[in-house]
Amino acid sequence: ETDSKNFNTDGRVVRLTGEAYFDVSPDPERPFTIYSGKAGIKVLGTSFNVQALKSSGKVEVFVESGKVQLFEAENVSNTITIEPGFIGSIEDASVEKQMNTDENYLAWKTRKLFFNNTDLARVAEGIKDVFKVNLVFKDPDMTNCKIRSNFENETLENVIETICTIHNWEWEKRGNKIILSGQGC
C-alpha cells in the first residue's frame, strides 16, 4: 500500500508498506523518493521492485533498469547505488547488494515462471507468489523432486496439472491450499 499524498513541486515522495513495482519517468528537478521502514530509496528515472518485509523489517530493491540509491532513512550517509540486475537490501543498519540469481523474482507481476531443474520446494514458493496458494506435499520427499518447465500466463490448474503429470501425482484444492500426493524423490 502506498501513500502518495506527498507529490509536490519539490519532489516526489511515497511511503510504502508491502511490495510494489515502480517505473519512474526521469525528472532531475523532482527526484523520486520512497520511504519504507528503515530504508530510503532515491531514483531519477528507472524501473525497479521494492519489497518491504514487515516480519523482519528487511527492505529489498531489485533494479530492472536505470540506477537506484538505497540508503538508511535515519543515516543518509549509509548508502549504496544499485545497478540493473542487482538486489540491494537493508536490514537493521546493514546496507548491501548482490546479483539477482532468481529469474522468478518478478513473477508476481509478470505471471511468468521459469523452472530449470528446480526442486519442488522452490517451485512451491514461485507458485505462492503468483497464485497466492500454498502447496502442501503429503510426502516431504516430494519437495526434492525437480521440474524443468516454463509457464507464461498459465492458469493455476494448468501449472499444477503439468507438475502432477510429470511426477505421476494426484492433487486436490482445498481453499487456498493445493494438496499434492504421490511418490517422493
Side-chain angles (χ1 to χ4, degrees):
E1 90 193 55
T2 60
D3 171 11
S4 56
K5 288 184 288 206
N6 298 335
F7 270 51
N8 57 45
T9 52
D10 300 328
R12 300 172 287 174
V13 177
V14 170
R15 299 196 182 283
L16 171 71
T17 307
E19 185 167 14
Y21 182 85
F22 295 87
D23 195 345
V24 181
S25 302
D27 187 346
E29 302 299 314
R30 297 171 59 227
F32 187 87
T33 309
I34 300 163
Y35 289 98
S36 185
K38 295 181 179 180
I41 301 143
K42 187 174 184 179
V43 60
L44 297 174
T46 184
S47 54
F48 57 99
N49 190 75
V50 179
Q51 185 180 56
L53 306 172
K54 271 186 178 172
S55 52
S56 66
K58 183 177 185 178
V59 175
E60 282 187 358
V61 179
F62 168 64
V63 176
E64 198 170 36
S65 67
K67 285 185 181 177
V68 167
Q69 276 187 320
L70 176 64
F71 59 91
E72 191 181 354
E74 294 169 11
N75 178 10
V76 180
S77 63
N78 189 10
T79 184
I80 56 169
T81 300
I82 311 162
E83 298 86 9
F86 282 84
I87 294 174
S89 63
I90 184 164
E91 191 169 13
D92 300 321
S94 173
V95 182
E96 49 193 52
K97 74 175 172 179
Q98 62 187 42
M99 179 65 86
N100 176 35
T101 56
D102 180 4
E103 52 190 355
N104 293 318
Y105 194 87
L106 292 178
W108 68 273
K109 172 186 161 296
T110 63
R111 301 193 64 79
K112 294 178 184 176
L113 288 165
F114 303 101
F115 302 120
N116 184 13
N117 206 28
T118 308
D119 61 67
L120 266 290
R122 295 272 315 267
V123 171
E125 291 172 18
I127 289 172
K128 183 177 181 181
D129 282 347
V130 173
F131 297 104
K132 308 299 179 233
V133 296
N134 290 311
L135 264 57
V136 177
F137 299 93
K138 282 208 170 167
D139 180 344
D141 287 340
M142 294 167 78
T143 59
N144 299 325
C145 297
K146 297 187 183 303
I147 186 174
R148 179 171 291 149
S149 194
N150 296 337
F151 302 101
E152 291 194 36
N153 294 312
E154 294 281 351
T155 65
L156 171 63
E157 288 72 20
N158 283 355
V159 173
I160 300 299
E161 197 61 50
T162 301
I163 292 169
C164 288
T165 301
I166 290 168
H167 296 292
N168 198 24
W169 292 344
E170 300 289 320
W171 69 281
E172 63 176 301
K173 189 168 196 263
R174 288 192 206 151
N176 70 337
K177 289 183 184 169
I178 303 285
I179 316 293
L180 298 161
S181 54
Q183 201 72 33
C185 298

